[in-house]
Amino acid sequence: MDKKDIKSMNMEELKSFVSELGEKPFRAKQIYEWMHIKHVASFDEMTNLSAKFREVLKENADLVVLNPVEILSSQIDGTKKYLFELSDGNIIESVLMRYKFGNSVCISSQVGCRMGCRFCASTIDGVVRGLTASEMLEQIYRISKDTGERVSHVVVMGSGEPLDNFENFTRFLELISNGDGLNLGQRNITVSTCGIVPKIKELADMKPQINLALSLHASNQSKREELMPIAKKYELSEVLDACRYYFEQTGRRITFEYSLVAGVNDTEEDARELASLIAGMNCHINLIPVNPIRERDFKSPDNSAVVAFKNKLEKKSINVTIRREMGRDIQGACGQLRRRYLREANS
Ligand code: SAH
């Protein structure tokens, strides 16, 4: 029999699993606490279970634990990047960012990605597989354990397209905001998507309280298609309608992410077109000067062009911020650290 990934189970499922193994349902609560609150790394640390039951668990259950293979710490702002090895040998990356309002962890949702955005390092070799809920949770748990600090915010903005791994992602959401576990408020969780329209609607229908960030990156259909292959599948107008629907269903303000690429989408005309595109929407724009990756020839605009773009939007009364670059000294755009690691490991 396949060992069960018990860290991806909710309490009800864990209770039935424990019963099948011949134990009382209250054991489920104990195990749940060891996994989701105390974040132990082995069954042997679950000391209020009998030695015999721990052996039964080892035979029937898999305790997913991520192993950091590299940790980089920024000397500038306390940002930490983690490379984790999964039990099948795959490598993923996660980032801890320390803000005044608390600690935020950026997690990956897939090994690689198949969305093909032109400026993104995570997608270059395509997708290997989606992460399980337990592997998403573990990125947060290991970082919290490593630093001894509480994690108050989570952004699903690392490698991968979370809505392309929908079932595992929504299970992750259920578990992380569950009162028996980390109990993270959904308003402190943000999911970023390149715009898979049916999945945005499906998520909206679940009426979560999480924030939706939409990777827009262009102010019209043809420019968006140049940067993001997914734009050919879902038209810009459909994507914006899905965002409006998400807002109607959840009341959560949409964030649009706009990576500024010099000579591609950074002119004042682009800003003007962007302002009229989203006019009247309850939203916020996050400008991200593109982080150049070694595999592509995209450049970031200089600072004055970034500020001019922002000013143009503000004149049109649009909420806009320039994303502060964190951990510049340990950077590597989204997915770059993993690529460097794999390159070095293979040479
Ligand atoms: N697949 C999801 C989430 C992962 S990427 C999505 O597409 O939204 C998180 C954000 O970083 C996205 O807005 C993505 O377009 C952006 N991004 C990826 N590589 C980047 C780079 N090199 N420079 C700037 N932004 C980048």
Side-chain angles (χ1 to χ4, degrees), residues 106-107 109-110 113 115 117-122 156-163 191-195 213-217 228 230 256-261 288-293 298 323 332-336:
C106 174
I107 64 164
S109 56
Q110 296 181 313
C113 183
M115 295 297 130
C117 298
R118 300 281 305 142
F119 43 80
C120 180
S122 303
V156 188
M157 284 191 186
S159 296
E161 168 51 50
L163 302 190
V191 63
S192 178
T193 177
C194 60
L214 190 283
S215 297
L216 191 58
H217 304 322
M228 308 174 71
I230 191 75
F256 290 112
E257 291 162 283
Y258 193 101
S259 296
L260 283 160
V261 186
I288 317 162
V290 78
N291 207 331
I293 60 173
F298 285 134
R323 185 179 299 164
C334 192
Q336 271 210 310

Side-chain angles (χ1 to χ4, degrees), residues 97-225:
M97 292 159 291
R98 294 186 166 102
Y99 294 102
K100 287 201 190 82
F101 58 74
N103 285 339
S104 178
V105 169
C106 174
I107 64 164
S108 293
S109 56
Q110 296 181 313
V111 180
C113 183
R114 62 182 179 131
M115 295 297 130
C117 298
R118 300 281 305 142
F119 43 80
C120 180
S122 303
T123 197
I124 291 171
D125 292 325
V127 72
V128 179
R129 66 173 176 87
L131 299 184
T132 60
S134 55
E135 288 166 336
M136 290 184 243
L137 290 167
E138 262 296 298
Q139 298 172 58
I140 301 157
Y141 296 171
R142 278 316 116 200
I143 290 178
S144 178
K145 194 101 176 167
D146 174 62
T147 56
E149 294 170 27
R150 197 184 122 74
V151 172
S152 59
H153 291 69
V154 170
V155 293
V156 188
M157 284 191 186
S159 296
E161 168 51 50
L163 302 190
D164 187 37
N165 184 22
F166 195 78
E167 268 178 39
N168 288 322
F169 168 67
T170 49
R171 179 166 279 268
F172 159 78
L173 265 188
E174 175 193 347
L175 294 174
I176 196 154
S177 46
N178 185 286
D180 292 314
L182 199 59
N183 200 11
L184 199 72
Q186 289 205 343
R187 290 169 179 231
N188 289 359
I189 303 173
T190 300
V191 63
S192 178
T193 177
C194 60
I196 301 181
V197 167
K199 294 295 171 189
I200 295 176
K201 290 184 181 158
E202 198 176 333
L203 185 66
D205 287 334
M206 295 165 81
K207 301 201 194 303
Q209 280 299 291
I210 64 169
N211 308 301
L212 183 72
L214 190 283
S215 297
L216 191 58
H217 304 322
S219 54
N220 62 48
Q221 175 66 17
S222 66
K223 274 197 185 178
R224 197 161 187 266
E225 280 183 16

Side-chain angles (χ1 to χ4, degrees), residues 243-261:
C243 289
R244 288 190 191 94
Y245 184 71
Y246 189 86
F247 176 71
E248 283 162 21
Q249 297 301 307
T250 63
R252 303 301 293 158
R253 185 178 74 163
I254 303 292
T255 295
F256 290 112
E257 291 162 283
Y258 193 101
S259 296
L260 283 160
V261 186

Side-chain angles (χ1 to χ4, degrees), residues 66 84-92 111 128-131 135:
L66 300 193
F84 289 111
E85 183 171 14
L86 311 178
S87 59
D88 62 3
N90 276 304
I91 300 285
I92 56 166
V111 180
V128 179
R129 66 173 176 87
L131 299 184
E135 288 166 336

